[in-house]
């Protein structure tokens, strides 16, 4: 009887559906092509997973508080452009340019949060406007052309963020450890800290949270800043790894990141979030993008699969929620 209760509780968790889907994905793609689980392909999946994953982790906390940030994709492209423009023009060192890029991102997040909390404008509209401003600035500064990046060879910053080494046949980038550290830290904040309680309260019932002394506006502004800084960091990591800084980088990433978070089990309406679920959602979509190409499905069909997965997971989460409320 006790084992049955443990199984029921496991199935009721929001991470259960994403976990099953990920296992099924891995089995199906491996069945079609045994090279899918080869060390080289696993290394490729992990390398690409980190960059969008960093943004998705921060987005999980922001969505748990009941808000969205559509400007993360444009920041992903803008921050490395800013860093390399400062460096290539001789105004700063690469490391100083990196710090400036993060500070500018933090300022953008502060502006987003201020507009949402003080002017009471929906975050969808505020961050959509910021998306256009940031992307337009990147295109204007560069005239639409990528920036030079090859002079970063030998930089300690590049080594710290994206230095690579081999563990047996697996190629591992340092960025993977930054992602793991961020997942552990934000998971602890969300589930084990007083700040996590504030975040969930701000998204679940902001009026009640304010009545209990929670600084809802301060919490949300802090999360907008975190979201922007993580998007900036992800963009810089991608730029250093690929030796490219394109002002159009990150186009559409905001929707893919939100999809990762939603698939992982974070409530769209706020009040409930899960970092473990988001990590599973990240892996689901990155494995999907890699796997469909590896088995010969045109990459342009990727959005079809994303949409189908979102609809399926939303139906599953709705069913589990109804069962939980019914006590079965």
């Amino acid at each position: 009887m006790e084992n049955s209760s443990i199984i029921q509780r496991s199935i009721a968790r929001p991470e259960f559906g994403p976990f099953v889907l990920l296992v099924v994905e891995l089995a199906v793609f491996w069945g079609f092509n045994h090279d899918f689980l080869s060390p080289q392909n696993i290394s490729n999946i992990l390398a690409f997973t980190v960059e969008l994953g960093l943004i998705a982790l921060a987005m999980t906390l922001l969505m748990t508080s009941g808000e969205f940030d559509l400007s993360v994709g444009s920041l992903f492209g803008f921050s490395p452009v800013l860093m390399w423009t400062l460096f290539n023009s001789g105004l700063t060192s690469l490391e100083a340019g990196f710090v400036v890029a993060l500070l500018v991102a933090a300022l953008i997040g502060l502006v987003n949060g201020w507009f949402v909390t003080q002017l009471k404008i929906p975050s969808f509209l505020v961050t959509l406007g910021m998306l256009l401003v940031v992307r337009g600035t990147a295109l204007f500064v560069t005239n639409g052309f990528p920036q030079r990046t090859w002079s970063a060879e030998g930089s300690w910053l590049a080594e710290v963020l994206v230095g690579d080494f081999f563990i047996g046949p697996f190629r591992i980038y340092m960025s993977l450890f930054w992602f793991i550290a961020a997942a552990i830290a934000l998971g602890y904040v969300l589930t084990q800290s007083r700040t996590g309680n504030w975040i969930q309260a701000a998204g679940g019932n902001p009026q009640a949270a304010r009545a209990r002394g929670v600084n809802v506006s301060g919490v949300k502004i802090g999360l907008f800043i975190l979201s922007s800084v993580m998007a900036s960091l992800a963009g810089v990591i991608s730029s250093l790894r690929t030796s490219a800084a394109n002002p159009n980088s990150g186009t559409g990433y905001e929707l893919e990141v939100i999809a990762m978070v939603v698939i992982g089990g974070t409530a769209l309406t706020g009040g409930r979030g899960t970092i473990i679920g988001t990590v599973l959602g990240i892996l689901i979509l990155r494995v999907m993008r890699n796997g469909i190409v590896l088995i010969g499905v045109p990459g342009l069909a990727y959005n079809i699969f994303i949409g189908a997965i979102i609809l399926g997971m939303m139906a599953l989460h709705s069913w589990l929620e109804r069962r939980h409320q019914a006590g079965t």
Side-chain angles (χ1 to χ4, degrees), residues 6-328:
I6 292 174
I7 293 173
Q8 287 179 343
R9 287 199 301 269
S10 299
I11 293 175
R13 290 181 62 86
E15 299 91 352
F16 177 77
F19 174 75
V20 172
L21 178 57
L22 179 60
V23 171
V24 170
E25 262 191 359
L26 293 172
V28 169
F29 288 135
W30 180 80
F32 275 100
N33 189 335
H34 282 11
D35 288 336
F36 174 73
L37 293 181
S38 67
Q40 181 180 3
N41 195 53
I42 292 175
S43 299
N44 288 336
I45 292 174
L46 291 177
F48 285 103
T49 295
V50 166
E51 290 143 20
L52 277 182
L54 287 170
I55 309 175
L57 293 175
M59 187 72 78
T60 301
L61 271 63
L62 184 61
M63 288 178 60
T64 302
S65 75
E67 306 295 348
F68 291 91
D69 188 352
L70 299 180
S71 66
V72 290
S74 58
L75 269 166
F76 182 94
F78 171 75
S79 290
V81 163
L82 175 60
M83 181 183 74
W84 287 109
T85 298
L86 292 172
F87 177 64
N88 290 329
S89 63
L91 292 175
T92 68
S93 64
L94 184 64
E95 293 76 16
F98 170 66
V99 173
V100 170
L102 293 186
L103 290 175
V104 171
L107 177 61
I108 290 171
L110 176 62
V111 172
N112 283 337
W114 187 83
F115 268 80
V116 170
T117 60
Q118 304 305 311
L119 300 185
K120 308 301 180 185
I121 304 174
S123 56
F124 176 87
L125 297 176
V126 170
T127 56
L128 178 61
M130 188 61 76
L131 180 158
L132 298 173
V133 170
V134 173
R135 182 73 69 192
T137 302
L139 291 169
F140 177 77
V141 168
T142 62
N143 291 318
F145 292 101
Q147 299 296 287
R148 291 189 294 114
T149 63
W150 57 82
S151 53
E153 293 180 4
S155 166
W156 66 265
L157 179 66
E159 288 298 318
V160 168
L161 293 180
V162 297
D164 64 312
F165 58 92
F166 283 86
I167 299 179
F170 296 95
R171 185 182 187 183
I172 306 296
Y173 288 92
M174 287 298 297
S175 54
L176 178 62
F177 294 99
W178 289 106
F179 171 75
I180 293 172
I184 293 172
L186 295 183
Y188 175 83
V189 167
L190 186 59
T191 61
Q192 304 296 324
S193 72
R194 183 169 55 181
T195 302
N197 292 333
W198 294 345
I199 292 170
Q200 295 178 66
N205 192 330
Q207 288 76 24
R210 288 190 184 93
R212 297 180 68 87
V214 176
N215 184 357
V216 173
S217 295
V219 168
K220 291 188 176 184
I221 289 174
L223 293 177
F224 273 109
I225 293 173
L226 175 66
S227 176
S228 295
V229 169
M230 291 288 269
S232 176
L233 175 62
V236 170
I237 287 175
S238 177
S239 172
L240 292 171
R241 183 180 62 81
T242 60
S243 298
N246 192 322
N248 286 306
S249 293
T251 300
Y253 279 10
E254 55 279 343
L255 298 181
E256 190 167 349
V257 165
I258 290 173
M260 290 173 174
V261 177
V262 169
I263 288 170
T266 295
L268 272 171
T269 53
R272 186 188 71 213
T274 161
I275 291 293
I276 294 175
T278 293
V279 171
L280 293 171
I282 294 164
L283 292 173
I284 285 169
L285 292 196
R286 300 317 288 176
V287 165
M288 177 65 71
R289 182 182 287 276
N290 176 274
I292 62 173
V293 173
L294 205 62
I295 65 176
V297 177
L300 294 176
Y302 175 61
N303 286 341
I304 299 174
F305 289 92
I306 289 183
I309 290 173
I310 291 174
L311 292 173
M313 294 308 298
M314 289 302 94
L316 176 62
H317 292 323
S318 176
W319 177 71
L320 291 174
E321 188 69 21
R322 289 198 303 271
R323 282 176 57 89
H324 178 69
Q325 291 177 353
T328 60

